[in-house]
Amino acid sequence: MTAEAGMVRLAVVTVVRDDLPGLLATHAGLRAQTLASYDWFVADGGSGDGTAAWLACHQNEVAWWRSSPDRGLYDAMNLALDAIAERSSSCSPPCSHVLFLNAGDRLADDRVLERLLPILGERPDTGLFYGDALEELPSGRLVVKRARSHRRAVLGMFTHHQAMVYRLVESSGPRFDLRHGLAADYAFTLTVLKQGLPAHRLPLSVCIFAAGGRSQQDPARGRREQAIIRRELLGLGRTANATLWGLQWLALTLRQKIPWLYAKYRFSSNEQSFLS
């Protein structure tokens, strides 16, 4: 599959389990878009809170959905990728790119796709697009978490996974490595970058990130998994990995112990974002 100008269609993948309110928030953000050139793929891990019933009642708004137990977040994403590949082989137009927007995550505003899709069409050979993310502070104020350059991927994820759009090249494209329960998105992104296709920094905020995910609940495990991934995919040795581990620990400690200082360094006001 390739994306040519005017032939771009986005696959939005949402993974959910027992979070119907989050799913509804994600759905509302999609429904509000001024440009609806997307297909929604929802992988529910067998929720018991009415999620499956809601999906069954809204089948006309979902390109594909399932509700049954899986092996976790990244297994569900792989199932959705397989469904995209299968559907794209028989449907026209096929999906050319994919965005992973989990339950509770929302698009940054109602014009995200209106601005995003033309950029995807202008760059059909680009493998990865990434932009800023909005985060909601405890006060309710939205701030912009600026994306770092993809050239600094050795340091970790350079923006939130939900602010990344991947080109769908073929059905045998990369899948999430289930050995990594928290950092498989990092391995997936590095694999895409290693394919040699260009990466492009988007001039917009893509998503409003739902805080409180598993990677924030167990950051030590996330750092361990990232060290393994850097060793396997980037060839980093023990000393370099240990240095990066220390920098990540320092950033987390700063955020937890001196949040105002971390916010001053890492966030900027929403009014100063590309949205304005």
Side-chain angles (χ1 to χ4, degrees), residues 2-218:
T2 60
E4 300 176 357
M7 294 296 291
V8 173
R9 191 164 186 86
L10 184 66
V12 179
V13 170
T14 298
V15 172
V16 60
R17 183 175 180 183
D18 292 324
D19 186 12
L20 181 56
L23 182 67
L24 295 180
T26 302
H27 171 254
L30 290 171
R31 284 288 303 273
Q33 293 300 302
T34 56
L35 184 61
S37 184
Y38 68 87
D39 290 319
W40 195 25
F41 294 76
V42 182
D44 170 36
S47 296
D49 65 346
T51 293
W54 186 90
L55 288 167
C57 290
H58 293 78
Q59 293 191 62
N60 60 321
E61 300 182 60
V62 185
W64 170 92
W65 70 278
R66 71 187 295 275
S67 182
S68 59
D70 51 46
R71 291 180 287 172
L73 175 72
Y74 296 118
D75 183 42
M77 290 180 178
N78 284 339
L79 292 169
L81 286 173
D82 293 340
I84 293 168
E86 182 177 352
R87 189 174 187 276
S88 294
S89 65
S90 59
C91 294
S92 182
C95 291
S96 56
H97 299 76
V98 62
L99 167 68
F100 297 94
L101 202 65
N102 294 331
D105 299 318
R106 295 164 285 159
L107 293 174
D109 68 21
D110 59 6
R111 294 184 57 236
V112 168
L113 297 188
E114 179 184 331
R115 292 191 294 267
L116 171 64
L117 295 181
I119 298 173
L120 303 186
E122 292 165 2
R123 298 174 174 270
D125 296 325
T126 297
L128 171 64
F129 299 82
Y130 62 98
D132 298 333
L134 302 182
E135 288 196 11
E136 189 170 359
L137 299 180
S139 64
R141 185 168 68 94
L142 288 177
V143 292
V144 181
K145 189 171 185 179
R146 299 287 187 189
R148 300 186 178 95
S149 170
H150 67 279
R151 295 180 178 86
R152 299 175 65 187
V154 66
L155 299 177
M157 289 291 273
F158 39 93
T159 190
H160 284 301
H161 191 218
Q162 296 87 335
M164 296 181 173
V165 178
Y166 304 87
R167 175 187 165 200
L168 292 167
V169 180
E170 55 188 17
S171 60
S172 60
R175 292 295 187 266
F176 292 93
D177 188 339
L178 301 189
R179 292 178 301 158
H180 309 301
L182 297 182
D185 51 354
Y186 181 48
F188 185 93
T189 302
L190 288 181
T191 300
V192 170
L193 290 173
K194 287 187 66 176
Q195 291 176 338
L197 297 175
H200 178 68
R201 170 73 154 85
L202 294 166
L204 58 103
S205 293
V206 177
C207 70
I208 302 175
F209 172 71
R214 295 181 309 153
S215 60
Q216 293 182 339
Q217 296 170 9
D218 192 359

Side-chain angles (χ1 to χ4, degrees), residues 141-146 263-264 266-273:
R141 185 168 68 94
L142 288 177
V143 292
V144 181
K145 189 171 185 179
R146 299 287 187 189
K264 183 177 180 179
R266 196 65 184 91
F267 297 135
S268 58
S269 171
N270 189 23
E271 287 77 10
Q272 298 174 354
S273 75

